[in-house]
Every structure is written in structure tokens, then in C-alpha cells.
Amino acid sequence: MGCKAACQLLIAFGVFQFYCVEVSAAVGYWRSGLRSKVYKAIVTPSETLAQQRAGSPETVSAQCTEWDVMVTINPDLLGIQHPVQASDLTIGGCGVTSQTPTAFVIEAPLQGCGSNVTMVSDEIVYYFTLDYNPSPIPGLPIVRTNPAVVQIECHYPRNHNVSSNALNPTWVPYTSTISAQDVLGFSLVIMNSDWSGQSSSNIIYLGDLINLQASVDSTNHVPLRIFVDNCVASSTSNGSAPTYTFIGNSGCFTDSKVTGSNSQFITPRTTPSTLQFELDAFRFYGVAASSVFITCRLKVTLASQAIDSLNKACTYITGLSQWTSVDGSNQVCSCCDANCATGQKRRIEMARRRPGRSVKTTPVEWEKTLVVGPLFLEGKHHPAVSEHLTATEAKPAGSFMLVLGSMLVVLALTCSAFLLYLLYQKPQISN
């Protein structure tokens, strides 16, 4: 009896183990089936990386799925026969998740690792930045490679339910419909000199104005008004020192007052959902790199909401020695020389203490931090001035030669007249 029971127990255990193996295989097959559906991926190396890897095969590839992006990096990232270290590669602070002798892999979730999302006409685009920051050779204060940045984009159909664990039903879930209404497409781009379109070059000359445009796609929303709450320039993409805050204090363009520059918000707005501004080009003192990254925090309010000290766009006019608002309410700019948040916070706290009063707060989805760059600063060449100086310098030399020639002619005529005089006087003396 005991032997029979033992045999039954062994058979039951074997069946259970077989069941677990089959279920695991089925689950693995199901997940692999879901991950097998990939979407459009675009990898764009920076100009510096493109120069270093000229003639080399592609060294970065990306695969976009419904949950994440899987980026594969060749150890010879720069194509110069100097393998990079896995610890020097990050995507928004997320490091290498796996590696082999021939590849490094970083798996980044769509809504993590510093990703930015933008909605265009028929697509939702997630942007990632792969940063390569070389560390010094151990024991030596030198590096043999330059930093590099690679932009990665994942494109999804706008009617697709991204980051969902569902099995892609043919009907649109109600919850996804509601959340889609709260997704705002923020944008921050460098514009060309006449504001007619996005700039095709990232080279800026000292003395020029950098045209920037912040906007929001408010499709499926009531009208919105956009503001630039804060902008910081840095020489690196991670915002490390040195940095320079040229817009702060909730929308005050401080650069125009601190440096007396021509930086300003453009008045009037083209639309409430667009805000254009100009920044006088500059470079960081004592920094060898000429690159500049600009990080701005954007936010929106209802277009019908009144302008206040926390939601404004103010420029300091040097000639008038006063702050002016793009939206015409100059009074909201009076706090730009102090702390604009202090008075507003006090009013909000008082409103909270009053029974029956509601306090308006900005939803998290209505704010976004975006980065543009790198911009490369170069000094201007002035060929016209050089030509003018050359002509000016040549002019005195030409005048001198003319005077010298005239003196030689006069001297020759004088000598000729003297000789003729001598010849004329000689016969008379003989007589």
C-alpha cells in the first residue's frame, strides 16, 4: 500500500512539473509574440559622432516595442578602433542592462529614462538621448575619445494604445480615451532668422540672435496659452556646470536686464499656444567646448485664465528701464526684481483657509521640460571689413607713388631746361 501511494505521488509530481514547463513555454511564447510587434525607430547621430565614424558601419540600432526601446551599441561606437566602456553609456541616466563581447544593450521604458513625448498629426513620438561621456584612462588624466550624443525616436500610430498590457482590442478602451485628452504635445525648437520654419543648422555666430519657439498642440483641448517658466543654458547635455539661467522667476527674461542684451519675448504672440523669444548668442568663458544646450520648462494654462505673477512672459526694456508683458498686463511683471512665487503662494494659502473656496492648481501633464542642442557657437568673419582695410591701406601707398612720380617729372624737366640753357649760352661766349 505504501509503495502504491509513493508511485502515485511520483506520477502526480511529474505531471505537475510537465504542466509548469508547458505553461512557462506558453507564457514565453505569448510575451514573445507581443514583443515581436515592433514600430518605426529612427537613430540620428550628432555631427561630432558622424565625423568620427565616417566610413564606419552603423554602430547604434534601436528596436521600439509597445513597452520600451531596446538600443544595441557596438563597443567601437565611434568607429576609431577604441572600444568604449559600458559604464560611459547612458540613456537619461539609465545604464547598460546587458552586454556581450560584441554589443552593449540598454532597455529603456517608454515613459522613463528621460524620455520626451510629442504628438504630431498621426503619430506619437518618444524621444530618447543616448549619451557617451568618456571617463579618463585609469591612472592618467587623459581621454582618447570625445563625448557623443545619439538621438533615438520611436514612432507609434496615434490611435495605438501605447504602454498597455492588454491584447490590443479592436475597440478603444474608455480609460485610454480619457487619458489621450490629457496628453499635450509640447515643442521647443530653434527657428530660422525670419521665423518661417525650423532652422536647418545648429551653428550660431556670436553677435546673432538665437530664435526659439515654444508651442503646444492642444488638439482635443479647449484653447491653451503657453509660457516659458524657466530656461537654463549649459555646455553639456546633462546640465552640469557652468550653467546660465536667462529666463527665471516664473517667466522673467532676466538676460536683457543683467547683461543689457537684445534678448526678448516676441510681441505680439502669433497664437496663444505659441511663444517666440530671442536670445543674444554667447559662449561660456574658460570652456574649450563651443557647444551650448538649452533646457526650458514649459507650462500651459487655459487661454481664458487671467495672467498672473506665476504665469507670464516678461521682457526688460533697457531704454525704458521697465518690465513689459507679452500679453499686455505689465503689472504682473512687477515682481521680476523680487520673488514672484512669494505673493502668489500667500494668496493660495489664504484661499485654502477660507471655507468653500477652491484653489486652481496646474496639472502635472500641463508642464514639460525640454532640451534643445547642441548649438555650436562660432566667431563671425568680416570679409567686407578686411577688403575695406586692404583698400584703405593701399590708398596711401598709391598716393605716395603718384607724388614721387610727379617730383621725378618736375626734376627731369628742370634738368632739361638747364641743359638747354647751357647749350644756348655757349655760342654767345665763343663770339
Side-chain angles (χ1 to χ4, degrees):
M1 183 69 180
C3 181
K4 184 177 180 180
C7 290
Q8 289 177 345
L9 182 61
L10 290 173
I11 292 172
F13 179 75
V15 171
F16 176 74
Q17 186 177 20
F18 174 77
Y19 172 78
C20 291
V21 171
E22 291 299 316
V23 168
S24 299
V27 171
Y29 175 79
W30 176 68
R31 287 191 62 89
S32 64
L34 287 178
R35 289 187 67 93
S36 64
K37 189 171 184 180
V38 296
Y39 298 87
K40 179 181 177 182
I42 298 177
V43 177
T44 307
S46 67
E47 181 181 356
T48 302
L49 177 59
Q51 291 174 351
Q52 290 177 326
R53 52 193 291 281
S56 302
E58 294 295 333
T59 54
V60 179
S61 61
Q63 186 177 24
C64 302
T65 71
E66 295 178 356
W67 298 278
D68 57 18
V69 56
M70 185 166 62
V71 181
T72 304
I73 306 127
N74 191 312
D76 188 15
L77 172 66
L78 307 178
I80 57 175
Q81 305 304 314
H82 279 284
V84 302
Q85 301 297 319
S87 58
D88 296 337
L89 298 169
T90 57
I91 295 181
C94 300
V96 171
T97 53
S98 63
Q99 66 182 82
T100 66
T102 59
F104 301 127
V105 177
I106 300 178
E107 293 189 56
L110 289 183
Q111 298 182 6
C113 297
S115 67
N116 291 315
V117 62
T118 299
M119 296 179 67
V120 293
S121 58
D122 58 350
E123 288 184 323
I124 298 177
V125 184
Y126 284 82
Y127 297 91
F128 297 86
T129 301
L130 170 63
D131 289 304
Y132 167 62
N133 292 304
S135 53
I137 298 175
L140 297 175
I142 63 170
V143 293
R144 296 194 182 277
T145 56
N146 289 326
V149 177
V150 179
Q151 300 296 334
I152 299 167
E153 303 176 13
C154 288
H155 293 246
Y156 299 89
R158 191 167 181 175
N159 59 356
H160 181 73
N161 192 16
V162 180
S163 297
S164 171
N165 292 324
L167 296 179
N168 300 323
T170 56
W171 49 272
V172 179
Y174 173 75
T175 53
S176 69
T177 304
I178 296 300
S179 63
Q181 293 177 355
D182 290 331
V183 176
L184 296 176
F186 287 92
S187 173
L188 179 65
V189 296
I190 305 295
M191 301 293 286
N192 56 24
S193 58
D194 61 359
W195 298 97
S196 60
Q198 189 170 346
S199 175
S200 59
S201 173
N202 61 348
I203 297 178
I204 305 296
Y205 295 97
L206 294 175
D208 285 351
L209 291 172
I210 304 173
N211 293 343
L212 296 109
Q213 177 174 289
S215 60
V216 61
D217 179 7
S218 55
T219 305
N220 301 326
H221 263 280
V222 294
L224 299 173
R225 180 183 284 110
I226 191 168
F227 298 95
V228 179
D229 195 60
N230 175 274
C231 274
V232 180
S234 61
S235 59
T236 60
S237 59
N238 59 9
S240 59
T243 62
Y244 173 53
T245 301
F246 57 90
I247 296 178
N249 209 0
S250 300
C252 300
F253 213 139
T254 54
D255 179 70
S256 53
K257 181 173 184 179
V258 174
T259 67
S261 68
N262 296 317
S263 301
Q264 63 174 338
F265 288 111
I266 301 299
T267 306
R269 295 175 183 257
T270 55
T271 64
S273 59
T274 301
L275 181 59
Q276 298 173 331
F277 54 105
E278 297 175 326
L279 173 64
D280 229 331
F282 64 90
R283 67 178 182 85
F284 286 104
Y285 176 76
V287 176
S290 63
S291 59
V292 172
F293 293 82
I294 296 176
T295 303
C296 294
R297 184 170 67 248
L298 313 180
K299 65 180 179 181
V300 295
T301 64
L302 296 175
S304 58
Q305 181 177 327
I307 308 299
D308 57 43
S309 60
L310 295 183
N311 302 288
K312 62 185 184 301
C314 298
T315 299
Y316 185 78
I317 307 300
T318 304
L320 300 176
S321 298
Q322 69 178 32
W323 291 92
T324 60
S325 169
V326 167
D327 300 294
S329 305
N330 293 341
Q331 183 61 31
V332 300
C333 302
S334 59
C335 65
C336 282
D337 292 323
N339 187 348
C340 293
T342 303
Q344 189 71 6
K345 286 182 180 178
R346 188 181 296 113
R347 283 191 289 271
I348 292 175
E349 188 63 29
M350 291 177 63
R352 283 176 176 166
R353 294 176 182 176
R354 295 177 184 175
R357 291 292 185 95
S358 62
V359 180
K360 294 182 180 178
T361 58
T362 303
V364 176
E365 297 81 3
W366 286 20
E367 297 183 356
K368 191 72 173 180
T369 299
L370 297 179
V371 181
V372 294
L375 302 177
F376 296 97
L377 279 300
E378 296 184 2
K380 273 192 173 181
H381 297 286
H382 302 284
V385 175
S386 299
E387 292 171 4
H388 173 72
L389 290 176
T390 303
T392 305
E393 292 169 357
K395 186 175 180 180
S399 301
F400 174 75
M401 293 300 294
L402 180 61
V403 172
L404 181 60
S406 301
M407 292 177 63
L408 290 175
V409 170
V410 171
L411 183 59
L413 291 175
T414 303
C415 292
S416 299
F418 182 71
L419 290 174
L420 289 175
Y421 173 77
L422 292 177
L423 292 175
Y424 176 76
Q425 291 293 332
K426 187 175 182 181
Q428 292 183 354
I429 296 173
S430 302
N431 293 330

